[in-house]
Amino acid sequence: MLHATIHLDPAYQLADVPRELFGSFIEHLGRAVYDGIYCPGHPTADGQGFRRDVLEAIQALQVPLIRYPGGNFASGYRWEDGVGPKEKRPVRPDGAWRSRESNQVGLNEFAGFCRSADAELMMTVNLGTRGVQEACDLLEYCNLPDGTYFSDMRVAHGVKEPHGIKYWCLGNEMDGPWQTGHKTAEEYGRLAAETARAMRKLDPSIRLTAAGSSNPYMPTFPQWEATVLEHTYDDVDFLSLHQYLGNSTGDMGDFLAQSLTTDRFITDAVAACDFVQAKKRSKKRMMLSFDEWNVWYKTMDQEQHIQPWQFAPPLLEERYTMADAAVFGTMLITLLNHADRVKMACQAQLVNVIAPIMTEPNGGPVWRQSIFWPFRQASLDNRWPAWHIVLRHDDRAYIPRYDSKNYTDVPYLEYAAVLHLDPDMGGDAVTIFAVNRSLDEPMLLDCDLTAFGGGKDAEHLALYGPAEAVNGPGQEVLKPRAMAGAEVKDGHLQAQLPPLSWNMLRVGVERKLF
Ligand code: AHR
């Protein structure tokens, strides 16, 4: 049995939990849109052809925003193809995923879908094959009241009111040689700055994200961030980061340690942002949008090996194991622990493509993968309309550690603690999200709550199982289970975390804090 001790203190506050930290992403890729969310003729389809059963699964995650339409797809996309009468929309080759795009779903349909999901649409503009003018045309179509060329076109397409899209991404992964229209940092920085300025002239209320690095291993990281921000610092609100964790060495200890690279990626990107802030003598502090994150390694580069130009081929349908869910959980915890600088994030992606929600092909049943549960628990726990504050880690913690093939001193415990109002508990509460990285040993977690004057009514839910266990249609074996034994004694919460587990612990705290 491993033992870990942590201390929580209401005076050690890091930041409010931003609601936008629990966003997601849907790209025109594989079966995410077609045969995923959109399936006309399906018994559950609504009048627009969107599946209600898939929508319900999405609603259970309560994602506040959904990034769209890509991803790599966005860098070759003409938004005009996806608006207007469906029978007139062109079928195009999508070079990014070597697939056929029918354009039967475009921005008006997707905006309607987001409204049903109670999520904001976060739009990526094409800065790969297109530029300032097309981004402005799209913004005019989406956000301006009628009376101009593109806003009148929207009205003619049956959408009287502007969509009022607030969040805009200035291109996607422009640092990556795989990206259509890939650019150097200088080229991209100039283009992003000019696009941002022109877009803000049309709608000053929008919030803009400049594309940062596609992963921490890019040879251009973090110089890319510094150069891009030299150009865009005054004109954008966020810098984006992307990262997918994978089992690259085949060593489970390494795989489970991977979120340490996410932690370092964020710290280094923040340093690059602050370097530019200092250089510019700016008062503005740049915030991060981690707008693609997940575990993804089994289906990487799959598009290179398929028969090209298929319509909605089954691409990137990663099957998530228990080990994957634990790694996913550590990434989620890492984002929470950087809530002072990471203000938005998009789990990538939502349906069928590296996704928590799956549908069987040709309109088959919907089911939930292992990673659905950590995301749902963290997302829901932070959605009450009250305050939620991430508590800082403190130096007194004792956490046992291990060495793996490529990492040393990996903490067996990864955790984030959130202080919030809890309507169910009738007062204040602390929720702890925790992953036990040990494959074979349970962990006794002792959480010192004496700074709160103690705690009461401890609850413990855990997701655990064999490392290779997976869910499947009609076979959702991996889901959180209520755990017996969590209790508060002498101001300490004590609970046993199963080997290789994601845990959510909640405890009422006794002292009124504010
Ligand atoms: O999410 C899948 C792909 O991963 C996205 O299209 C791209 O932005 C990233 O490389």
Side-chain angles (χ1 to χ4, degrees):
M1 171 90 80
L2 299 166
H3 288 80
T5 309
I6 59 174
H7 302 253
L8 297 179
D9 188 325
Y12 275 52
Q13 299 185 2
L14 178 77
D16 289 347
V17 179
R19 180 176 182 260
E20 289 78 11
L21 208 57
F22 303 96
S24 190
F25 175 31
I26 291 184
E27 177 166 5
H28 282 251
L29 193 184
R31 297 192 308 116
V33 175
Y34 309 108
D35 204 24
I37 57 171
Y38 179 77
C39 209
H42 189 272
T44 72
D46 65 15
Q48 303 302 311
F50 289 101
R51 279 180 66 162
R52 286 201 188 86
D53 56 347
V54 176
L55 180 67
E56 274 165 28
I58 293 172
Q59 284 167 333
L61 290 175
Q62 295 199 14
V63 291
L65 53 92
I66 305 177
R67 186 166 175 256
Y68 175 85
N72 296 341
F73 173 80
S75 296
Y77 182 53
R78 298 169 177 95
W79 65 268
E80 303 89 328
D81 288 349
V83 294
K86 289 195 173 186
E87 64 282 5
K88 291 198 176 144
R89 297 186 190 176
V91 174
R92 300 267 193 199
D94 160 30
W97 301 108
R98 304 174 83 221
S99 310
R100 202 151 37 95
E101 172 56 51
S102 71
N103 283 304
Q104 292 303 291
V105 173
L107 78 88
N108 291 321
E109 291 84 19
F110 195 77
F113 174 77
C114 286
R115 277 193 292 279
S116 315
D118 199 18
E120 286 194 54
L121 195 167
M122 183 191 206
M123 184 75 87
T124 309
V125 303
N126 174 357
L127 291 188
T129 58
R130 302 188 115 188
V132 183
Q133 187 59 62
E134 293 90 343
C136 288
D137 294 348
L138 174 58
L139 178 62
E140 179 190 334
Y141 183 96
C142 290
N143 282 14
L144 261 63
D146 59 352
T148 67
Y149 180 81
F150 281 110
S151 62
D152 281 347
M153 186 187 284
R154 182 196 67 237
V155 175
H157 291 159
V159 185
K160 171 90 183 88
E161 293 305 319
H163 290 301
I165 295 173
K166 179 170 163 194
Y167 295 111
W168 294 79
C169 303
L170 297 165
N172 176 69
E173 296 190 350
M174 300 312 302
D175 62 330
W178 59 87
Q179 199 68 208
T180 309
H182 161 61
K183 292 176 176 47
T184 65
E186 279 290 338
E187 290 165 346
Y188 171 69
R190 288 281 305 116
L191 177 60
E194 294 304 335
T195 308
R197 283 179 211 135
M199 288 177 77
R200 273 198 210 286
K201 283 181 189 158
L202 287 183
D203 183 352
S205 71
I206 54 175
R207 309 267 283 154
L208 293 167
T209 301
S213 289
S214 301
N215 64 64
Y217 308 106
M218 295 302 291
T220 44
F221 176 75
Q223 186 59 50
W224 173 274
E225 283 47 31
T227 306
V228 167
L229 288 177
E230 298 257 356
H231 291 291
T232 58
Y233 203 86
D234 297 333
D235 301 302
V236 301
D237 304 286
F238 306 95
L239 177 82
S240 79
L241 296 179
H242 290 179
Q243 192 184 14
Y244 294 96
L245 302 185
N247 194 348
S248 52
T249 63
D251 180 276
M252 194 54 101
D254 274 358
F255 180 44
L256 291 166
Q258 285 255 315
S259 68
L260 301 183
T261 66
T262 310
D263 186 65
R264 179 71 194 264
F265 189 25
I266 295 171
T267 309
D268 290 347
V270 164
C273 292
D274 294 352
F275 166 74
V276 180
Q277 180 188 9
K279 224 177 144 185
K280 288 187 173 285
R281 318 287 192 253
S282 172
K283 290 204 169 79
K284 174 176 168 183
R285 193 131 264 219
M286 187 58 60
M287 296 297 160
L288 300 179
S289 171
F290 215 117
D291 57 29
E292 285 189 36
W293 70 270
N294 201 346
V295 172
W296 174 24
Y297 55 104
K298 303 175 194 106
T299 57
M300 275 272 173
D301 300 326
Q302 214 185 14
E303 73 281 2
Q304 307 297 330
H305 310 290
I306 59 155
Q307 167 79 24
W309 319 127
Q310 294 178 66
F311 174 68
L315 284 174
L316 280 50
E317 300 202 0
E318 195 99 348
R319 184 66 83 91
Y320 288 107
T321 63
M322 179 58 226
D324 296 336
V327 174
F328 180 95
T330 57
M331 218 175 175
L332 195 44
I333 287 170
T334 304
L335 293 172
L336 271 168
N337 284 329
H338 284 281
D340 55 334
R341 296 303 290 269
V342 181
K343 297 295 181 187
M344 291 204 290
C346 300
Q347 175 277 327
Q349 298 189 12
L350 194 50
V351 178
N352 285 340
V353 170
I354 44 173
I357 298 167
M358 299 297 290
T359 66
E360 287 303 285
N362 306 315
V366 63
W367 56 278
R368 282 146 291 266
Q369 301 234 47
S370 59
I371 61 169
F372 180 93
W373 296 107
F375 194 48
R376 177 185 151 98
Q377 289 188 322
S379 155
L380 277 188
D381 198 59
N382 290 292
R383 293 302 300 282
W384 292 314
W387 45 269
H388 292 83
I389 297 163
V390 185
L391 295 175
R392 274 180 204 281
H393 286 196
D394 93 353
D395 298 339
R396 292 170 295 170
Y398 169 74
I399 298 174
R401 289 167 191 267
Y402 70 92
D403 293 340
S404 63
K405 208 166 157 190
N406 289 292
Y407 293 84
T408 50
D409 275 342
V410 182
Y412 275 113
L413 173 72
E414 201 65 62
Y415 74 97
V418 178
L419 173 60
H420 56 93
L421 262 181
D422 189 327
D424 297 340
M425 286 199 167
D428 305 331
V430 168
T431 296
I432 303 165
F433 302 109
V435 169
N436 176 6
R437 286 190 169 104
S438 171
L439 285 167
D440 39 35
E441 285 195 77
M443 178 186 292
L444 185 64
L445 174 65
D446 181 300
C447 174
D448 184 341
L449 294 169
T450 49
F452 282 95
K456 60 176 183 190
D457 303 331
E459 287 173 9
H460 181 191
L461 288 160
L463 177 75
Y464 60 98
E468 295 308 323
V470 289
N471 285 349
Q475 228 198 331
E476 297 186 30
V477 287
L478 292 170
K479 50 161 90 157
R481 286 176 258 175
M483 304 293 288
E487 56 174 356
V488 182
K489 250 204 261 161
D490 302 329
H492 288 235
L493 166 68
Q494 294 192 327
Q496 192 171 311
L497 316 185
L500 191 63
S501 58
W502 157 269
N503 301 267
M504 188 178 85
L505 290 144
R506 180 165 301 143
V507 59
V509 284
E510 288 174 352
R511 191 188 299 173
K512 193 74 202 148
L513 300 167
F514 299 103

